[in-house]
């Protein structure tokens, strides 16, 4: 039953990830063609970020209160309706910025409930010894979808218009919802308390583990620096490395690197997986520094493959460590705190990119931020829990003794 549930969830979620790629393209095209421009698109994106920040922690609480698939079904239904409303709005020829911002916020807010529930559900679908392989498989599917979705979305939107992209995304949420409806696995759930008390309980679960608390703070610093880098490398790619085509090649290399990292995680299973994950994350500065030296397209492509392979291997190691060592009834809340640190830090880095590069120059900022990436990962190896944490495997039950025969 567990394996069939795993395949069902993987299929539904892959279609949803691909569909998200359609909406990413459709949204940008629709706003630009409606003469909205960068300002309107920025407001839509800001609405999504604000909704994510507001809803993420509450999504984690409800993921732990209810069966995870029930939260996922509700989230998919809301996102389906939001995507369908966007399709209708642009198909009818109308463009209402306030409505589009509201729909984007509703859709992203619903996703903030889906993600912790998805994280809480995954370890229930496979035996403990297969969690790393399952997480690597999901990473591979997600990375592949992030490559295929925008590519297919671009072709579809070019041929049939932005409304077609929103429609495909709505249908992908329907597929994800059907998959979640068919899942048979059930999670044990404890008594409810107040929302604040449950949020605090989730934070206490994090703070009593040095590797988890240190990892969240380290990831926050990492994501601020990475947010700066992600803006500046686009500028370098377009201005120095060959324009939009260079940016496309680099994006493809990042996706390829992610697939390589997930493939390695499928096969390489060290006992101290988390320590190995932080070590592979030390490869990401290679990608950032390649834009400064040698600053050639081929070197940046190679750095992207190497860096993103390390990043995805780390993601698998991190998710597996949480699933192994955090009680299942707390996974939603712990995951939501994890997501929140990322979504707080990344936009901050994006905002800082312009002022920092204007004051100190792009190359200097990239070098410093690459150093921050390295230090934020290397410091984790000084934490005792990070160095010592091992994979959890269920202990096989001892064989039952042979029944004694009654004397004749």
């Amino acid at each position: 039953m567990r394996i069939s549930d795993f395949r069902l969830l993987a299929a539904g979620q892959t279609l949803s990830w691909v569909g998200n790629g359609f909406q990413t393209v459709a949204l940008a095209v629709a706003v630009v063609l409606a003469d909205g421009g960068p300002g309107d698109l920025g407001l839509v994106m800001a609405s999504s970020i604000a909704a994510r920040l507001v809803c993420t922690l509450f999504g984690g609480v409800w993921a732990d209160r209810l069966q995870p698939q029930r939260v996922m079904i509700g989230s998919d239904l809301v996102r389906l309706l939001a995507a369908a409303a966007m399709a209708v709005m642009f198909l009818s020829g109308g463009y209402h910025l306030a409505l589009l911002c509201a729909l984007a916020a509703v859709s992203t807010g619903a996703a903030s409930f889906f993600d912790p529930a998805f994280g809480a559900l995954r370890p229930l679908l496979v035996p403990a010894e297969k969690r790393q392989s399952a997480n690597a498989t999901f990473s591979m599917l997600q990375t592949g979808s992030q490559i295929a979705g925008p590519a297919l979305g671009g072709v579809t939107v070019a041929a049939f218009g932005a409304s077609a992209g929103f429609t495909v995304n709505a249908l992908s949420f329907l597929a994800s919802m059907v998959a979640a409806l068919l899942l048979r696995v059930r999670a044990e759930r404890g008594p409810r308390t107040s929302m604040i008390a449950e949020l605090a309980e989730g934070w206490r679960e994090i703070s009593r583990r040095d590797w988890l608390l240190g990892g969240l703070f380290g990831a926050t610093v990492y994501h601020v620096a990475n947010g700066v880098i992600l803006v500046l490398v686009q500028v370098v790619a377009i201005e120095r490395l060959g324009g939009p085509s260079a940016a496309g090649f680099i994006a493809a290399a990042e996706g390829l690197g992610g697939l390589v990292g997930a493939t390695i995680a499928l096969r390489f299973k060290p006992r101290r997986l988390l320590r190995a994950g932080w070590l592979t994350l030390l490869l990401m500065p290679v990608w950032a520094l390649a834009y400064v030296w040698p600053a050639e397209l081929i070197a940046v492509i190679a750095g992207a493959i190497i860096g993103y392979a390390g990043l995805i291997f780390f993601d698998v190691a991190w998710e597996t460590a949480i699933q192994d060592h955090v009680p299942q009834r707390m996974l939603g809340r712990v995951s939501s705190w994890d997501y929140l640190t990322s979504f707080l830090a990344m936009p901050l880095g994006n905002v800082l990119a312009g002022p920092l590069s204007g004051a100190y120059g792009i190359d200097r900022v990239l070098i410093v931020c690459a150093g921050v990436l390295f230090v934020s990962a290397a410091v984790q190896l000084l934490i005792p829990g990070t160095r010592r944490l091992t994979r959890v495997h269920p202990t096989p039950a001892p064989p039952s003794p042979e029944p004694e025969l009654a004397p004749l």
Side-chain angles (χ1 to χ4, degrees), residues 305-350:
I305 294 172
I306 293 169
Y308 275 80
L311 174 64
I312 296 303
F313 185 92
F314 166 78
D315 285 344
V316 172
W318 181 251
E319 291 290 338
T320 305
I322 292 175
Q323 292 168 5
D324 277 350
H325 297 279
V326 173
Q328 205 282 329
R329 65 182 182 84
M330 302 292 296
L331 278 177
R333 278 164 284 180
V334 170
S335 296
S336 67
W337 281 107
D338 188 12
Y339 296 139
L340 182 65
T341 59
S342 301
F343 288 110
L344 276 172
M346 190 75 76
L348 176 60
N350 296 157

Side-chain angles (χ1 to χ4, degrees), residues 228 231-232 235 351-366:
V228 175
V231 173
L232 298 184
V235 176
V351 171
L352 290 174
L356 288 176
S357 61
Y360 302 105
I362 290 178
D363 287 355
R364 287 182 181 178
V365 174
L366 283 175

Side-chain angles (χ1 to χ4, degrees), residues 8 15 45 48 113 136 154 172 189 204 211 229 248 316 327 352 355 368 383 388 406:
L8 191 63
L15 291 173
M45 295 174 67
S48 296
F113 283 75
S172 75
R189 288 294 177 252
R204 285 195 298 271
W211 61 269
I229 292 172
V316 172
L352 290 174
V368 171
I383 298 174
R388 299 169 186 165

Side-chain angles (χ1 to χ4, degrees), residues 9-10 13 17 63 68-69 71-72 113-123 125 138 142 323 332 335 339:
L9 182 63
Q13 192 55 32
W17 283 327
Q69 54 266 52
V71 178
M72 293 162 62
F113 283 75
F114 184 97
D115 292 339
F118 180 59
L121 179 66
R122 281 158 56 175
L125 303 181
F138 276 119
Q142 185 173 17
Q323 292 168 5
S335 296
Y339 296 139

Side-chain angles (χ1 to χ4, degrees), residues 72-86:
M72 293 162 62
I73 291 165
S75 172
D76 279 334
L77 178 59
V78 171
R79 292 189 290 174
L80 186 159
L81 295 175
M86 292 181 191

